[in-house]
Amino acid sequence: ATCTPKNRNDALHPLWQSPLTIPGGTRQSPINIQWRDSVYDPVLKPLKISYDPATCLHIWNNGYSFLVEFDDSADRSIIVGGPLENQYRLKQFHFHWGAINEWGSEHTVDSKFYPAELHLVHWNAVVYPTFEEAVMEGDGLAVIGVFLKLGAHHEGLQTLVDALPAIKHKDTVIEFDVFDPSCLLPPCPDYWTYAGSLTTPPLTESVTWIIKKQPIEVDENQLEAFRMLLFTSDGEEEKRMVDNFRPLQPLMNRTVRSSFQ
Ligand SMILES: NCCOCCOCCNC(=O)c1ccc(S(N)(=O)=O)cc1
Ligand SMILES: [Zn+2]
């Protein structure tokens, strides 16, 4: 069976243009995480993260978000443990954000939006030969989600922010030699996890989501820097890159597990 998005606005959302059906969509993302409905799972292990900053390649504007991509030709930047049966290789990270601080994240916690959300995208290179193949498989990807909240200046993020003017337009890229994404992770190990999907086409149901409970703090100028990026290419009529988040999707027959009590 196919399913059209429950809330019509998902289908007509500016980023989706045409009605969007996801064949047999039973585990779509993002979702609202209702804290009281999440189930503590004592079997969940701590998530082990080891990134090699030298695997950083470049930062680019893909017309939807800005991505920092990594050399994933070997097991140099990986995550293991948590809800995962295999180790997963870091491929890229990117963000979603709003036009104003009232919204911007993809996931919500007890229906609260954060102004932005970081996604660290990893793929199961133990089982699948390429990222493209992993994208099509139920255990193919693992994405760590980190909420951004308005607060103190974030030193590590500033390195990225300083590069954004150089990738203002869609399909612009600059080299980015050394960056350690660990600096974007909150110190608290607590997370929620659930089975979901990519939040942009092809929307494949291949993601084990690991959503960190504790947000990181960034300041207003850093959020504003995200909002000066453009969806559009150089020479086109400028459209600010804001509100690049997908509407919430139905939980359906899923339980969100927590690594904490
Ligand atoms: N490149 C040609 C064919 O590629 C097929 C698969 O492409 C997948 C591209 N999309 C992604 O990699 C991708 C990765 C993460 C997220 S998200 N926002 O769910 O973290 C959304 C999308
Ligand atoms: Zn994302």
Side-chain angles (χ1 to χ4, degrees):
T2 63
C3 86
T4 51
K6 288 287 162 292
N7 37 357
R8 284 297 299 157
N9 73 353
D10 189 14
L12 303 177
H13 188 272
L15 285 176
W16 309 112
Q17 309 310 333
S18 62
L20 211 65
T21 58
I22 305 97
T26 58
R27 54 176 276 194
Q28 288 293 294
S29 295
I31 60 168
N32 173 52
I33 296 167
Q34 200 64 39
W35 195 314
R36 77 173 83 81
D37 294 342
S38 62
V39 178
Y40 168 60
D41 183 350
V43 173
L44 283 172
K45 302 187 191 76
L47 190 61
K48 281 181 60 195
I49 298 170
S50 42
Y51 295 148
D52 174 353
T55 54
C56 189
L57 293 173
H58 48 251
I59 179 170
W60 68 293
N61 177 332
N62 72 349
Y64 181 78
S65 179
F66 68 93
L67 289 83
V68 180
E69 292 200 303
F70 291 79
D71 169 7
D72 60 351
S73 58
D75 289 332
R76 293 170 61 190
S77 289
I78 56 147
I79 59 171
V80 68
L84 306 172
E85 283 173 27
N86 298 120
Q87 72 175 23
Y88 287 65
R89 270 184 207 167
L90 176 67
K91 178 166 182 58
Q92 52 103 328
F93 69 80
H94 62 274
F95 297 81
H96 302 263
W97 61 91
I100 60 172
N101 298 337
E102 311 322 303
W103 60 72
S105 59
E106 297 216 291
H107 293 86
T108 54
V109 179
D110 293 344
S111 300
K112 169 195 159 77
F113 282 95
Y114 285 89
E117 185 173 332
L118 160 65
H119 289 158
L120 294 139
V121 181
H122 311 75
W123 61 284
N124 185 345
V126 170
V127 175
Y128 306 110
T130 65
F131 171 76
E132 277 72 18
E133 282 178 78
V135 165
M136 310 310 287
E137 303 293 335
D139 61 349
L141 303 182
V143 181
I144 297 175
V146 180
F147 294 117
L148 276 63
K149 73 178 263 195
L150 187 62
H153 181 79
H154 195 294
E155 272 308 301
L157 187 74
Q158 193 56 36
T159 326
L160 295 179
V161 166
D162 291 341
L164 297 185
I167 56 163
K168 187 180 173 77
H169 293 102
K170 179 180 179 197
D171 293 331
T172 47
V173 59
I174 57 164
E175 202 172 297
F176 216 59
D177 293 354
V178 179
F179 184 79
D180 181 358
S182 311
C183 77
L184 299 174
L185 295 168
C188 178
D190 295 347
Y191 62 83
W192 289 284
T193 183
Y194 78 96
S197 74
L198 298 181
T199 65
T200 61
L203 299 170
T204 44
E205 299 184 328
S206 54
V207 181
T208 298
W209 280 95
I210 298 165
I211 308 287
K212 301 294 282 183
K213 180 184 82 174
Q214 184 181 48
I216 59 169
E217 289 192 19
V218 301
D219 69 23
E220 180 63 37
N221 292 333
Q222 294 177 313
L223 286 170
E224 277 306 321
F226 285 16
R227 300 175 182 135
M228 51 67 88
L229 292 169
L230 300 177
F231 281 127
T232 44
S233 306
D234 199 352
E236 288 179 346
E237 185 205 350
E238 297 203 346
K239 288 197 183 74
R240 288 189 320 136
M241 185 181 276
V242 292
D243 298 334
N244 56 356
F245 57 91
R246 187 188 190 193
L248 292 172
Q249 301 298 308
L251 183 62
M252 303 186 92
N253 180 30
R254 289 179 284 183
T255 302
V256 177
R257 291 181 289 161
S258 65
S259 69
F260 57 94
Q261 280 187 313

